[in-house]
Amino acid sequence: MSSVRAPSRLGGLVLAAIFAFLYVPIAVLVLLSFNASGLPTAWTGFSLKWYGALAGNANILHAAWNTLVVGLAATAISTVLGTLLAIGLETRRRKGTAIEALAFAPMVIPDIVLAVALLTFFSSLDITLGLPTIVVSHVIFDLAFVNAVVRARLKHFDFSIVEASRDLGAGYVTTFRRILLPALAPAIIAGALLAFTLSIDEFIIAFFTAGAGRSSITLPMQIYSMIRFGITPEVNALATLVMGLSATVLMISQWLNKEQAP
């Protein structure tokens, strides 16, 4: 019995050490965002003044608005295209590894490589960089993740229902609207939430495709510009808000994925 407990305790200690390594720095950041003095070395009391300071910072509010616009636009487009891509790939009669690799390539290509490739593409076409180019870039990045989530649901979908609907006289649009779409709705919503989370957190691709000027700066870019002069309490508060939003959306996405599992 003791020989069984020893590996179990060791595994628990290793797991605890890994979680501590990952989340203790985040916990410290969140704690310091409520420190009245704003100093990382001395706790002088609980305060929300740094969050109030964010509300009065025009640069941060502008970056937050840009992030929301980019996130919602990229999510909407990538959700539609990713869902259609998933249906098309899953219903193909002939499966090919090349097509599969192309569909999932944006997920595995390093962000810096994808960012440079997109910048080169926009520059070669003489396209002015700004929020539209960030949206297009995020769509390419998010589309693969939506495709993966929706295809996971399609793996367990009985396509004989679709064939029965067609045999009974329903058109393609009616079959999609009344049978396929309701069955895929949880996965589509989960994929959209995941795409939104990835979009509001993404920095490298946005940095390369935003162009010059402050008109297209997003929140991650704003945080980067602020920490170049040192970590301030406002940065801690802003990072805490972004992290909280991302964690909330990601948990909802995971819950939807769990609910749709057979």
Side-chain angles (χ1 to χ4, degrees), residues 34-108:
F34 297 103
N35 189 3
S37 69
L39 298 175
T41 56
W43 177 266
T44 59
F46 181 88
S47 176
L48 295 174
K49 66 179 181 179
W50 306 117
Y51 290 88
L54 292 178
N57 191 315
N59 291 333
I60 291 177
L61 294 178
H62 180 69
W65 173 253
N66 286 343
T67 300
L68 184 63
V69 170
V70 170
L72 292 177
T75 298
I77 299 172
S78 62
T79 300
V80 174
L81 296 181
T83 300
L84 295 177
L85 176 63
I87 295 173
L89 290 176
E90 202 60 32
T91 55
R92 290 178 72 244
R93 294 183 179 180
R94 297 180 60 185
K95 306 293 183 180
T97 55
I99 299 296
E100 297 285 340
L102 287 174
F104 291 104
M107 297 175 61
V108 297

Coordinates of all heavy atoms in Angstrom, one line a residue, residues 34-108:
F34 N -4.3 45.8 -6.7 CA -5.1 46.4 -5.7 C -4.3 47.0 -4.6 O -4.8 47.4 -3.5 CB -6.0 45.3 -5.1 CG -6.9 44.6 -6.0 CD1 -6.7 43.4 -6.6 CD2 -8.1 45.3 -6.4 CE1 -7.6 42.8 -7.4 CE2 -9.0 44.7 -7.3 CZ -8.7 43.5 -7.8
N35 N -3.0 47.2 -4.8 CA -2.1 47.8 -3.8 C -2.2 49.3 -3.8 O -2.1 49.9 -4.9 CB -0.7 47.4 -4.0 CG 0.2 47.8 -2.9 OD1 -0.2 48.3 -1.9 ND2 1.5 47.5 -3.0
A36 N -2.6 49.9 -2.7 CA -2.8 51.4 -2.7 C -1.6 52.1 -3.1 O -1.7 53.2 -3.8 CB -3.3 51.8 -1.3
S37 N -0.4 51.7 -2.7 CA 0.8 52.4 -3.0 C 1.3 52.2 -4.4 O 2.0 53.0 -5.0 CB 2.0 52.1 -2.0 OG 2.4 50.7 -2.2
G38 N 1.0 51.1 -5.0 CA 1.5 50.7 -6.3 C 2.9 50.2 -6.3 O 3.5 50.0 -7.4
L39 N 3.5 50.1 -5.2 CA 4.9 49.6 -5.1 C 4.9 48.1 -5.0 O 4.1 47.5 -4.2 CB 5.6 50.2 -3.9 CG 5.7 51.7 -3.9 CD1 6.3 52.2 -2.6 CD2 6.6 52.2 -5.1
P40 N 5.8 47.4 -5.7 CA 5.8 45.9 -5.7 C 6.5 45.4 -4.4 O 6.4 44.2 -4.2 CB 6.7 45.6 -6.9 CG 7.5 46.8 -7.1 CD 6.7 47.9 -6.7
T41 N 7.1 46.3 -3.6 CA 7.8 45.8 -2.4 C 7.1 46.1 -1.1 O 7.6 45.6 -0.1 CB 9.2 46.5 -2.4 OG1 9.1 47.9 -2.4 CG2 10.1 46.0 -3.6
A42 N 6.1 46.8 -1.1 CA 5.4 47.2 0.1 C 3.9 47.2 -0.1 O 3.4 47.9 -1.0 CB 5.9 48.5 0.6
W43 N 3.1 46.5 0.7 CA 1.7 46.5 0.7 C 1.2 47.5 1.7 O 1.4 47.4 2.9 CB 1.1 45.1 1.0 CG -0.4 45.1 1.1 CD1 -1.1 45.2 2.2 CD2 -1.2 44.9 0.0 NE1 -2.5 45.1 1.9 CE2 -2.6 44.9 0.5 CE3 -1.0 44.7 -1.4 CZ2 -3.7 44.8 -0.3 CZ3 -2.2 44.5 -2.2 CH2 -3.5 44.6 -1.7
T44 N 0.5 48.5 1.2 CA 0.0 49.6 2.1 C -1.5 49.7 2.2 O -2.0 50.6 2.8 CB 0.5 51.0 1.5 OG1 0.0 51.2 0.2 CG2 2.0 51.0 1.5
G45 N -2.2 48.7 1.7 CA -3.6 48.6 1.8 C -4.4 48.4 0.5 O -3.8 48.5 -0.6
F46 N -5.6 47.9 0.6 CA -6.4 47.6 -0.5 C -7.0 48.9 -1.1 O -7.5 49.7 -0.4 CB -7.5 46.6 -0.1 CG -8.4 46.2 -1.2 CD1 -8.1 45.1 -2.0 CD2 -9.6 46.9 -1.5 CE1 -8.9 44.7 -3.0 CE2 -10.4 46.5 -2.6 CZ -10.0 45.4 -3.3
S47 N -7.0 48.9 -2.5 CA -7.5 50.1 -3.2 C -7.9 49.7 -4.6 O -7.3 48.9 -5.2 CB -6.5 51.2 -3.2 OG -6.9 52.3 -3.9
L48 N -8.9 50.4 -5.1 CA -9.4 50.3 -6.5 C -9.0 51.5 -7.3 O -9.5 51.6 -8.4 CB -10.9 50.1 -6.5 CG -11.4 48.8 -5.8 CD1 -13.0 48.8 -5.8 CD2 -10.9 47.5 -6.6
K49 N -8.1 52.3 -6.8 CA -7.9 53.6 -7.5 C -7.2 53.4 -8.9 O -7.4 54.2 -9.8 CB -7.1 54.5 -6.6 CG -5.6 54.1 -6.3 CD -4.9 55.1 -5.5 CE -3.5 54.7 -5.2 NZ -2.7 55.7 -4.4
W50 N -6.4 52.3 -9.0 CA -5.7 52.1 -10.3 C -6.7 51.7 -11.3 O -6.5 52.0 -12.5 CB -4.6 51.0 -10.1 CG -3.7 51.4 -9.0 CD1 -3.4 50.7 -7.9 CD2 -2.9 52.5 -8.9 NE1 -2.5 51.3 -7.1 CE2 -2.1 52.5 -7.7 CE3 -2.6 53.6 -9.8 CZ2 -1.2 53.4 -7.3 CZ3 -1.7 54.6 -9.4 CH2 -1.0 54.5 -8.2
Y51 N -7.8 51.0 -11.0 CA -8.8 50.7 -11.9 C -9.6 51.9 -12.3 O -10.0 52.1 -13.5 CB -9.8 49.6 -11.3 CG -9.1 48.3 -11.2 CD1 -8.5 47.9 -10.0 CD2 -9.2 47.3 -12.2 CE1 -7.8 46.7 -9.9 CE2 -8.6 46.1 -12.1 CZ -7.9 45.8 -10.9 OH -7.3 44.5 -10.8
G52 N -9.8 52.8 -11.4 CA -10.4 54.1 -11.7 C -9.5 54.9 -12.6 O -10.1 55.7 -13.5
A53 N -8.2 54.8 -12.4 CA -7.3 55.6 -13.3 C -7.4 55.1 -14.7 O -7.2 55.9 -15.7 CB -5.9 55.4 -12.8
L54 N -7.7 53.8 -14.9 CA -7.8 53.3 -16.3 C -9.0 53.9 -17.0 O -8.9 54.2 -18.2 CB -8.0 51.8 -16.2 CG -6.9 50.9 -15.8 CD1 -7.3 49.4 -15.8 CD2 -5.7 51.1 -16.7
A55 N -10.1 54.2 -16.2 CA -11.3 54.8 -16.9 C -11.0 56.2 -17.4 O -11.7 56.7 -18.2 CB -12.4 54.8 -15.9
G56 N -10.0 56.8 -16.8 CA -9.7 58.2 -17.2 C -8.5 58.3 -18.2 O -8.1 59.4 -18.5
N57 N -8.0 57.2 -18.6 CA -6.9 57.2 -19.6 C -7.4 57.0 -21.0 O -7.9 56.0 -21.4 CB -6.0 56.0 -19.2 CG -4.6 56.1 -19.9 OD1 -4.6 56.4 -21.1 ND2 -3.5 55.8 -19.2
A58 N -7.3 58.1 -21.8 CA -7.9 58.1 -23.1 C -7.2 57.1 -24.0 O -7.8 56.5 -24.9 CB -7.8 59.5 -23.7
N59 N -5.9 56.9 -23.9 CA -5.2 56.0 -24.7 C -5.6 54.6 -24.5 O -5.8 53.8 -25.4 CB -3.7 56.1 -24.5 CG -3.1 57.4 -25.0 OD1 -3.6 58.0 -25.9 ND2 -2.0 57.8 -24.3
I60 N -5.8 54.2 -23.2 CA -6.3 52.8 -22.9 C -7.7 52.6 -23.4 O -8.0 51.5 -23.9 CB -6.2 52.6 -21.4 CG1 -4.7 52.5 -21.0 CG2 -6.9 51.3 -21.0 CD1 -4.5 52.4 -19.5
L61 N -8.6 53.6 -23.2 CA -9.9 53.4 -23.7 C -10.0 53.3 -25.2 O -10.8 52.5 -25.7 CB -10.8 54.7 -23.2 CG -11.0 54.8 -21.7 CD1 -11.8 56.1 -21.4 CD2 -11.7 53.6 -21.2
H62 N -9.2 54.1 -25.9 CA -9.1 54.0 -27.4 C -8.6 52.6 -27.8 O -9.2 52.0 -28.7 CB -8.2 55.1 -27.9 CG -8.1 55.0 -29.4 ND1 -9.2 55.4 -30.3 CD2 -7.1 54.7 -30.3 CE1 -8.8 55.2 -31.5 NE2 -7.5 54.8 -31.6
A63 N -7.6 52.1 -27.1 CA -7.1 50.8 -27.4 C -8.1 49.7 -27.1 O -8.2 48.7 -27.9 CB -5.8 50.5 -26.6
A64 N -8.8 49.9 -26.0 CA -9.9 48.9 -25.7 C -11.0 48.8 -26.7 O -11.5 47.8 -27.1 CB -10.5 49.2 -24.3
W65 N -11.3 50.0 -27.3 CA -12.4 50.1 -28.3 C -11.9 49.4 -29.6 O -12.6 48.6 -30.2 CB -12.7 51.5 -28.6 CG -13.6 51.7 -29.8 CD1 -13.3 52.1 -31.0 CD2 -15.0 51.3 -29.8 NE1 -14.4 52.1 -31.9 CE2 -15.5 51.6 -31.2 CE3 -15.9 50.8 -28.9 CZ2 -16.8 51.4 -31.6 CZ3 -17.2 50.5 -29.3 CH2 -17.6 50.8 -30.6
N66 N -10.6 49.6 -29.9 CA -10.0 49.0 -31.1 C -10.0 47.5 -30.9 O -10.3 46.7 -31.9 CB -8.6 49.5 -31.4 CG -8.6 50.9 -31.9 OD1 -9.6 51.4 -32.5 ND2 -7.4 51.5 -31.9
T67 N -9.6 47.0 -29.8 CA -9.6 45.6 -29.5 C -11.0 45.0 -29.6 O -11.1 43.8 -30.1 CB -9.0 45.3 -28.1 OG1 -7.7 45.9 -28.0 CG2 -9.0 43.8 -27.7
L68 N -12.0 45.6 -29.1 CA -13.4 45.1 -29.2 C -13.8 45.1 -30.6 O -14.4 44.1 -31.0 CB -14.3 46.0 -28.4 CG -15.8 45.6 -28.3 CD1 -15.8 44.2 -27.6 CD2 -16.6 46.6 -27.5
V69 N -13.5 46.1 -31.4 CA -13.9 46.1 -32.8 C -13.2 44.9 -33.6 O -13.9 44.2 -34.3 CB -13.6 47.4 -33.5 CG1 -13.8 47.4 -35.0 CG2 -14.4 48.5 -32.9
V70 N -11.9 44.8 -33.4 CA -11.2 43.8 -34.1 C -11.7 42.4 -33.6 O -11.9 41.5 -34.4 CB -9.7 43.9 -33.8 CG1 -8.9 42.7 -34.3 CG2 -9.1 45.2 -34.5
G71 N -11.9 42.2 -32.3 CA -12.3 40.9 -31.8 C -13.6 40.5 -32.3 O -13.8 39.3 -32.7
L72 N -14.6 41.4 -32.3 CA -16.0 41.1 -32.7 C -16.0 40.8 -34.2 O -16.6 39.8 -34.7 CB -16.9 42.2 -32.3 CG -17.2 42.3 -30.8 CD1 -18.1 43.5 -30.6 CD2 -17.8 41.1 -30.3
A73 N -15.3 41.6 -35.0 CA -15.3 41.5 -36.4 C -14.6 40.2 -36.8 O -15.1 39.4 -37.7 CB -14.6 42.6 -37.1
A74 N -13.4 39.9 -36.3 CA -12.7 38.7 -36.6 C -13.4 37.5 -36.1 O -13.4 36.4 -36.8 CB -11.3 38.8 -35.9
T75 N -14.1 37.5 -35.0 CA -14.9 36.4 -34.5 C -16.0 36.1 -35.4 O -16.2 34.9 -35.7 CB -15.4 36.7 -33.1 OG1 -14.3 36.9 -32.2 CG2 -16.2 35.5 -32.6
A76 N -16.8 37.1 -35.8 CA -17.9 36.9 -36.7 C -17.5 36.2 -38.0 O -18.1 35.2 -38.5 CB -18.6 38.2 -36.9
I77 N -16.5 36.8 -38.6 CA -16.0 36.3 -40.0 C -15.4 34.9 -39.8 O -15.7 34.0 -40.6 CB -15.0 37.2 -40.6 CG1 -15.7 38.6 -40.8 CG2 -14.5 36.7 -41.9 CD1 -14.7 39.7 -41.3
S78 N -14.5 34.7 -38.9 CA -13.9 33.4 -38.7 C -14.8 32.3 -38.3 O -14.6 31.1 -38.7 CB -12.7 33.5 -37.7 OG -13.2 33.9 -36.4
T79 N -15.9 32.7 -37.5 CA -16.9 31.7 -37.1 C -17.6 31.1 -38.3 O -17.8 29.9 -38.5 CB -17.8 32.2 -36.1 OG1 -17.1 32.6 -34.9 CG2 -18.9 31.2 -35.7
V80 N -18.1 32.0 -39.2 CA -18.8 31.6 -40.4 C -17.9 30.8 -41.3 O -18.3 29.7 -41.8 CB -19.3 32.9 -41.2 CG1 -20.0 32.4 -42.5 CG2 -20.4 33.6 -40.3
L81 N -16.7 31.3 -41.6 CA -15.8 30.6 -42.5 C -15.3 29.3 -41.9 O -15.2 28.3 -42.6 CB -14.6 31.5 -42.9 CG -15.0 32.8 -43.7 CD1 -13.7 33.6 -44.0 CD2 -15.7 32.5 -45.0
G82 N -15.0 29.3 -40.6 CA -14.5 28.1 -40.0 C -15.5 27.0 -39.9 O -15.2 25.8 -40.1
T83 N -16.8 27.4 -39.7 CA -17.9 26.4 -39.7 C -18.1 25.8 -41.1 O -18.2 24.6 -41.2 CB -19.2 27.1 -39.2 OG1 -19.0 27.6 -37.9 CG2 -20.3 26.1 -39.2
L84 N -18.1 26.7 -42.1 CA -18.3 26.1 -43.4 C -17.1 25.3 -43.9 O -17.3 24.2 -44.5 CB -18.4 27.3 -44.4 CG -19.7 28.2 -44.2 CD1 -19.7 29.3 -45.2 CD2 -21.0 27.3 -44.4
L85 N -15.9 25.7 -43.4 CA -14.7 24.8 -43.8 C -14.8 23.5 -43.1 O -14.5 22.5 -43.7 CB -13.5 25.6 -43.3 CG -12.1 24.8 -43.5 CD1 -11.9 24.5 -45.0 CD2 -11.0 25.6 -42.9
A86 N -15.2 23.5 -41.8 CA -15.4 22.2 -41.1 C -16.4 21.3 -41.8 O -16.1 20.1 -41.9 CB -15.8 22.5 -39.7
I87 N -17.5 21.8 -42.2 CA -18.5 21.0 -42.8 C -18.0 20.5 -44.2 O -18.2 19.3 -44.5 CB -19.8 21.8 -43.0 CG1 -20.4 22.2 -41.7 CG2 -20.8 21.1 -43.9 CD1 -21.6 23.2 -41.8
G88 N -17.4 21.4 -44.9 CA -16.8 21.0 -46.2 C -15.8 19.9 -46.1 O -15.8 18.9 -46.9
L89 N -14.9 20.0 -45.1 CA -13.8 19.0 -45.0 C -14.4 17.7 -44.5 O -13.9 16.6 -44.9 CB -12.8 19.5 -44.0 CG -11.9 20.6 -44.5 CD1 -10.9 21.1 -43.4 CD2 -11.1 20.2 -45.7
E90 N -15.4 17.7 -43.6 CA -15.9 16.5 -43.0 C -16.8 15.8 -43.9 O -17.0 14.6 -43.8 CB -16.7 16.9 -41.7 CG -16.8 15.7 -40.7 CD -15.5 15.2 -40.2 OE1 -14.5 16.0 -40.1 OE2 -15.4 14.0 -40.0
T91 N -17.4 16.5 -44.9 CA -18.3 15.8 -45.8 C -17.6 15.4 -47.1 O -18.3 14.9 -48.0 CB -19.5 16.7 -46.1 OG1 -19.1 18.0 -46.6 CG2 -20.4 16.9 -44.8
R92 N -16.3 15.7 -47.2 CA -15.6 15.3 -48.5 C -15.6 13.8 -48.6 O -15.4 13.1 -47.6 CB -14.2 15.9 -48.5 CG -14.1 17.4 -48.6 CD -12.7 17.8 -48.6 NE -12.0 17.5 -49.8 CZ -10.9 16.7 -49.8 NH1 -10.5 16.1 -48.7 NH2 -10.3 16.4 -50.9
R93 N -15.8 13.3 -49.8 CA -15.8 11.9 -50.0 C -14.3 11.3 -50.0 O -14.1 10.2 -49.6 CB -16.4 11.5 -51.4 CG -17.9 11.8 -51.4 CD -18.5 11.4 -52.7 NE -20.0 11.6 -52.7 CZ -20.8 11.4 -53.8 NH1 -20.2 10.9 -54.9 NH2 -22.1 11.6 -53.7
R94 N -13.4 12.2 -50.5 CA -12.0 11.8 -50.5 C -11.2 12.6 -49.5 O -11.2 13.8 -49.6 CB -11.4 12.0 -51.9 CG -12.1 11.1 -53.0 CD -11.4 11.4 -54.4 NE -10.0 11.1 -54.4 CZ -9.2 11.3 -55.4 NH1 -9.7 11.8 -56.5 NH2 -7.9 11.0 -55.3
K95 N -10.6 11.9 -48.6 CA -9.8 12.6 -47.6 C -8.4 12.8 -48.0 O -7.8 11.8 -48.6 CB -9.9 11.8 -46.2 CG -11.3 11.5 -45.8 CD -12.0 12.8 -45.3 CE -13.4 12.4 -44.8 NZ -14.2 13.6 -44.4
G96 N -7.8 13.9 -47.7 CA -6.4 14.1 -48.1 C -5.6 14.8 -47.0 O -6.1 15.7 -46.4
T97 N -4.4 14.3 -46.8 CA -3.6 14.9 -45.7 C -3.1 16.3 -46.1 O -2.9 17.1 -45.2 CB -2.4 14.0 -45.5 OG1 -1.6 13.8 -46.7 CG2 -2.8 12.6 -45.0
A98 N -3.0 16.6 -47.4 CA -2.6 17.9 -47.8 C -3.6 19.0 -47.4 O -3.3 20.0 -46.8 CB -2.3 18.0 -49.3
I99 N -4.9 18.7 -47.7 CA -6.0 19.6 -47.3 C -6.0 19.7 -45.8 O -6.3 20.8 -45.3 CB -7.3 19.1 -47.9 CG1 -7.2 19.0 -49.4 CG2 -8.4 20.0 -47.5 CD1 -7.0 20.4 -50.1
E100 N -5.9 18.6 -45.1 CA -6.0 18.7 -43.6 C -4.8 19.6 -43.1 O -5.0 20.4 -42.1 CB -5.8 17.3 -43.0 CG -7.0 16.3 -43.4 CD -8.3 16.6 -42.7 OE1 -8.2 17.3 -41.6 OE2 -9.3 16.2 -43.2
A101 N -3.7 19.4 -43.6 CA -2.5 20.2 -43.2 C -2.7 21.7 -43.4 O -2.4 22.5 -42.6 CB -1.2 19.7 -43.8
L102 N -3.3 22.0 -44.6 CA -3.5 23.4 -44.9 C -4.6 24.0 -44.0 O -4.5 25.2 -43.6 CB -4.0 23.6 -46.3 CG -2.9 23.4 -47.4 CD1 -3.6 23.4 -48.8 CD2 -1.8 24.4 -47.3
A103 N -5.6 23.2 -43.6 CA -6.6 23.7 -42.7 C -6.1 24.1 -41.3 O -6.6 25.0 -40.7 CB -7.8 22.7 -42.7
F104 N -5.2 23.3 -40.9 CA -4.7 23.4 -39.5 C -3.3 24.2 -39.4 O -2.8 24.4 -38.3 CB -4.5 22.1 -38.8 CG -5.8 21.4 -38.5 CD1 -6.3 20.4 -39.3 CD2 -6.6 21.9 -37.5 CE1 -7.5 19.7 -39.0 CE2 -7.8 21.2 -37.2 CZ -8.3 20.2 -38.0
A105 N -2.8 24.6 -40.6 CA -1.5 25.2 -40.6 C -1.4 26.5 -39.8 O -0.4 26.7 -39.0 CB -1.1 25.6 -42.1
P106 N -2.4 27.4 -39.8 CA -2.3 28.6 -38.9 C -2.2 28.3 -37.5 O -1.7 29.2 -36.7 CB -3.6 29.4 -39.2 CG -4.0 28.9 -40.6 CD -3.6 27.5 -40.6
M107 N -2.6 27.1 -37.0 CA -2.5 26.8 -35.6 C -1.1 26.4 -35.2 O -0.7 26.6 -34.0 CB -3.5 25.6 -35.3 CG -4.9 25.9 -35.5 SD -5.9 24.4 -35.2 CE -5.6 24.1 -33.5
V108 N -0.3 25.9 -36.1 CA 1.0 25.4 -35.8 C 2.1 26.3 -36.3 O 3.3 26.2 -35.8 CB 1.2 23.9 -36.3 CG1 0.2 23.0 -35.7 CG2 1.0 23.9 -37.8

